Amino acid sequence: MKNKLTYIFTAIILAGCGTDKPEDKQPISTPIKKTIEPKIEKPVFDSDSAYQYVKEQVDFGPRFPNNEAHGKCAKYLENKLKSFGLNAFTQIGEGTTFNKKNIVIKNIIGEYNPEANKRILLFAHWDTRPFADQDTKDMTKPILGANDGGSGVGVLLEVARQLTLTKPDIGVDIIFFDAEDYGQPAGISDDDYSSNTWCLGSQYWANNLHKENYKAEYGILLDMVGAMNPQFMQEAFSNKFAPQVVQKVWSNAKKLGYNNYFKNQQTGYLIDDHKFVNEIANIPSIDIIHYENNRGSFHPTWHTHHDNMDIIDKKSLSAVGEVLLYTIYQESN
Ligand code: AHN
Ligand code: ZN
């Protein structure tokens, strides 16, 4: 149920105010009691709070499968979702990376309004890349992943907090996927299967749903949403599997005045968690991802040591958070 604001209008018309107009001659009315229940369009997304959640992740250091910071951050994320009142737990799985490392996969799941039948799935990857293969120095050292990893999760934590504060009448599942970013670096080999070396957490989840017959009406992935002046393109897998969701989200963004970020431009197929959620779990899903068509690449700091808190802009977090909350509230009764 929504916040119910009840306005009681008590109208008392006082007669005899000294004029002689006909309306003044009407009898004193009995008080009129009116109850209005305004439909809340959406709560306010707090970008200071979202920024803080990005920073808290980055403060753990690089967070890739099997490292210590990764273990600590997993607990932090589950506890955070719990503290907001979601039903939160961690799905544990196993995987093998492109370089034959066995890893423990930790997908962190939070259910808001678990009983509701109508559900929306929101997701982001929370792990960070174990190397900086796009940098020119320290390429074998792991990156901080403030934008690539931290930003989507930060926005979704704030969305989770707002949901439990304002309680829209709809089910929402938030999943932080692990091991998205352990993919095979470009140029190592050209085999067709390298796309499956990315997104190990979402592949595991899609093959091992946390609930039997889990279904959501649609899914929205956030990936690299925190840099200054983001450019969110309409990505090809999103348009292939969930064109109506792309239209809905981009038109909401325009309504809210964010068409400078949510561009009316298409881009090619990007391997990302939504590909596997679409293809394996059959949940029509889109990717809100920063991609620069003019450069044919992601943000310039992508997979480099420059992907740190310096590039995170609260305005970007806010735009994405507002659009998400608006979209969720639009669906609620
Ligand atoms: C590839 O580069 C194949 N996919 C990009 C997915 C990604 C990596 N998103 C964040 N980091
Ligand atoms: Zn990445």
Side-chain angles (χ1 to χ4, degrees), residues 125 129 143 148-149 180-181 198 223-224 302-303:
H125 79 89
R129 191 144 177 84
I143 66 166
D148 192 357
E180 187 271 352
D181 233 344
W198 299 86
D223 194 6
M224 304 189 274
W302 179 63
H303 293 177

